[in-house]
């Protein structure tokens, strides 16, 4: 019998994600070769030169275009950004993001926010605090960590959520 996922809960879990300062900048033509002018509309991030580890042609960096998930422990919210640039003034685990993303992550930020956590498939960084799922099988519930890859997309798709819940209710009725 396939386990049913019936609930999501935000619970603290052990983490080892990257942790550093977050600042903001005005993107343009970045080291990845993308031109993300302020009117570009997507959330972008520049990683430290130590994290980017660019070769002779930074446009060919495998990190370019990949996503990271940013987590603010103060607000307990996650946001996703695309790696497009190198931050030459950042310490190893610091990140530099576009202004719009900065204020989504830290609405009360003043230009630099300490203790921002982040990770990404191509850059590593371990688990972020947060989501676990309750999986019920044979009437027994067990909390399991959600894979950060599942959470990389940012917010939950609210269009899909009602149908998922209806499916679970039908499964529960069939069992009784």
């Amino acid at each position: 019998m396939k386990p049913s996922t019936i609930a999501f809960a935000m619970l603290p879990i052990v983490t080892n994600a990257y942790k550093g300062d977050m600042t903001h900048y005005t993107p343009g033509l970045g080291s990845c070769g993308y031109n993300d002018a302020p009117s570009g509309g997507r959330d972008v991030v520049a990683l430290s030169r130590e994290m980017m580890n660019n070769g002779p042609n930074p446009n060919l960096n495998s990190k370019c275009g990949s996503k990271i998930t940013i987590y603010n422990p103060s607000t307990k919210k996650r946001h996703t950004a695309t790696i497009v640039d190198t931050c030459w003034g950042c310490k190893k685990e610091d990140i530099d993001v576009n202004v719009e993303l900065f204020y989504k992550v830290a609405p009360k930020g003043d230009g630099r926010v300490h203790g921002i956590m982040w990770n990404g498939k191509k850059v590593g960084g371990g688990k972020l605090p947060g989501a676990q799922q309750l999986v019920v099988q044979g009437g027994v519930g067990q909390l399991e960590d959600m894979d950060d890859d599942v959470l990389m997309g940012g917010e939950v798709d609210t269009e899909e959520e009602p149908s998922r819940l209806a499916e679970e209710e039908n499964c529960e009725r069939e069992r009784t």
Side-chain angles (χ1 to χ4, degrees), residues 134-150:
L134 179 61
V135 177
V136 178
Q137 184 171 13
V140 178
Q142 177 179 337
L143 282 174
E144 295 179 358
D145 293 344
M146 289 182 68
D147 187 353
D148 280 332
D149 291 345
V150 170

Side-chain angles (χ1 to χ4, degrees), residues 73-104:
S74 299
T75 63
K76 310 259 186 291
K77 294 199 177 194
R78 294 167 182 257
H79 299 275
T80 303
T82 303
I83 300 170
V84 298
D85 205 353
T86 303
C87 176
W88 291 91
C90 290
K91 292 180 184 169
K92 183 178 181 180
E93 297 185 10
D94 293 349
I95 56 175
D96 206 9
V97 300
N98 59 299
V99 175
E100 297 81 9
L101 178 57
F102 182 88
Y103 288 108
K104 287 181 201 173

Side-chain angles (χ1 to χ4, degrees), residues 155-166:
E155 307 294 323
V156 172
D157 183 352
T158 53
E159 295 297 314
E160 194 174 301
E161 190 67 12
S163 64
R164 183 184 65 79
L165 292 174

